[in-house]
Amino acid sequence: MPTSLSTCTTITTYDGATLAVQLRGAPAAEPLLLIAGQGLSGAAWDPAADGFAARYRVITYDHRGTGGSEVAFPGEPLQWSTRAAARDAIAVLDRLGVARAHVYGHSMGGRIAQWLAAEAPHRVAALILGGTTGGDSHGVPRREAISAALAGGDPAVLGPLFFRASWLAEHPEYADVPMRTTSAVARRAHFAASQSHHAWDVLGTIAAPTLVVHALDDEICPSENARLLTQAIPDAELHLLDDGRHVYYAGGREANEAVLSFLRRHPLR
C-alpha cells in the first residue's frame, strides 16, 4: 500500500467535472503524470508510485466514475473517448500549475497518453506507453475467451490476467481492482472509450522521446501491439518483459527500473 502519499486534492475539468488528484514526492522534483487504465482510479498505480516518487513529483488522478471523481460524462457516456479523456489529463496539469511533465500511461491510460503527446506536445517531456495499443482497428485483438472473462467480471478469473499469481497471493486486496468503477454508467463509458480508440493516424507526429513497455504474457492486450506502436512512433524504444501480466508494474522491478532509466536519460530540462 502507498507510504509516500503527501497530498490529496480535487480539480475541475474543462466541462466542470470534479476529479480527485493525488500527489507524492518532493514538490520541487520533476513532475511525472501517471494515467491509469480502464475503469481504474489513481490507486491502480499504488504498487509502483512510491518507487517513482523517490525521484519524481508523482501525480495520479481518478478517472471520471472511479475513486473520488465525479460520475460525469459529456453527452452520452458511450460517446466519451480517450481523446476527451486526454483533456482531463491536461486539466489536471493546468490546475496544478504544471506546464510540462513526463507522462506514463498504462492500458487505456496509454491510449489517453497518445492523444496527449500528439495534440499537446509542449506538455509532454518523456512518454511511456505500457500494456497498450494504438487502437483495436489496426492492432492485434485479444482472444475471445479473454474478452468474455473481462465482460464476466469475476475477480477470481480477472485477477490472474492482471497480476502475477505470486504477487497477487501476497496482495489479495488487489484481486478486485479490475472491477472498482463506481457505477454501470462509468463502466460503459470507459469500455466505449477503449474500444473506439484509434490513434494510428497521429502516432507518427509524436515528438516526445517514447518508451513502449509490455509483458510478453499479457493476454488482455497482446504484446504484438507494443511492436506496432514502436514502429509507428518515431525513434520509440521497446522494452519487452519475459515475466509479467497486464499490470506488469505490480512487483515488476525490471519494468520499473527500465522506466526510471529511460526518464534519467530524458530529463525535463
Side-chain angles (χ1 to χ4, degrees):
M1 301 302 288
T3 58
S4 66
L5 191 62
S6 57
T7 306
C8 296
T9 187
T10 59
I11 66 100
T12 303
T13 66
Y14 62 94
D15 63 339
T18 300
L19 302 184
V21 178
Q22 306 85 33
L23 301 169
R24 294 175 171 85
E30 293 185 6
L32 170 61
L33 176 68
L34 304 179
I35 308 178
Q38 177 182 321
L40 299 176
S41 71
W45 286 104
D46 283 355
D50 282 352
F52 296 138
R55 182 177 177 88
Y56 296 94
R57 180 60 161 170
V58 173
I59 305 164
T60 56
Y61 66 98
D62 301 346
H63 288 304
R64 297 175 186 234
T66 74
S69 292
E70 190 176 356
V71 183
F73 297 93
E76 291 295 326
L78 296 184
Q79 294 177 359
W80 195 57
S81 67
T82 51
R83 196 174 189 176
R87 296 178 68 186
D88 286 352
I90 291 173
V92 170
L93 295 178
D94 285 347
R95 303 304 184 268
L96 295 176
V98 177
R100 194 161 175 257
H102 302 300
V103 176
Y104 184 177
H106 176 258
S107 196
M108 188 185 83
R111 294 168 169 88
I112 294 167
Q114 291 161 34
W115 286 115
L116 183 56
E119 298 195 324
H122 59 292
R123 309 302 296 268
V124 180
L127 176 68
I128 302 102
L129 302 175
T132 193
T133 174
D136 294 344
S137 59
H138 289 82
V140 178
R142 66 178 68 94
R143 294 187 294 113
E144 289 186 9
I146 302 301
S147 293
L150 290 170
D154 183 352
V157 176
L158 293 179
L161 293 175
F162 277 76
F163 306 104
R164 295 176 182 84
S166 58
W167 187 86
L168 191 58
E170 296 174 357
H171 302 86
E173 67 273 20
Y174 286 91
D176 67 339
V177 160
M179 295 302 294
R180 287 186 187 175
T181 39
T182 59
S183 70
V185 170
R187 284 192 290 273
R188 289 195 298 271
H190 282 241
F191 182 78
S194 289
Q195 292 299 106
S196 64
H197 176 72
H198 180 89
W200 294 107
D201 297 337
V202 301
L203 294 178
T205 70
I206 292 177
T210 302
L211 175 66
V212 178
V213 186
H214 215 113
L216 288 170
D217 291 336
D218 188 347
E219 295 186 86
I220 292 176
C221 182
S223 60
E224 289 86 347
N225 289 292
R227 294 186 175 91
L228 294 174
L229 275 176
T230 306
Q231 293 167 5
I233 300 172
D235 301 319
E237 300 178 23
L238 175 62
H239 191 101
L240 292 174
L241 304 160
D242 291 328
D243 180 29
R245 306 294 281 174
H246 187 53
V247 186
Y248 57 78
Y249 59 78
R253 181 175 178 180
E254 177 190 345
N256 297 336
E257 288 183 349
V259 168
L260 287 169
S261 175
F262 178 78
L263 291 174
R264 283 193 294 270
R265 287 190 285 117
H266 299 283
L268 189 67
R269 289 174 287 278

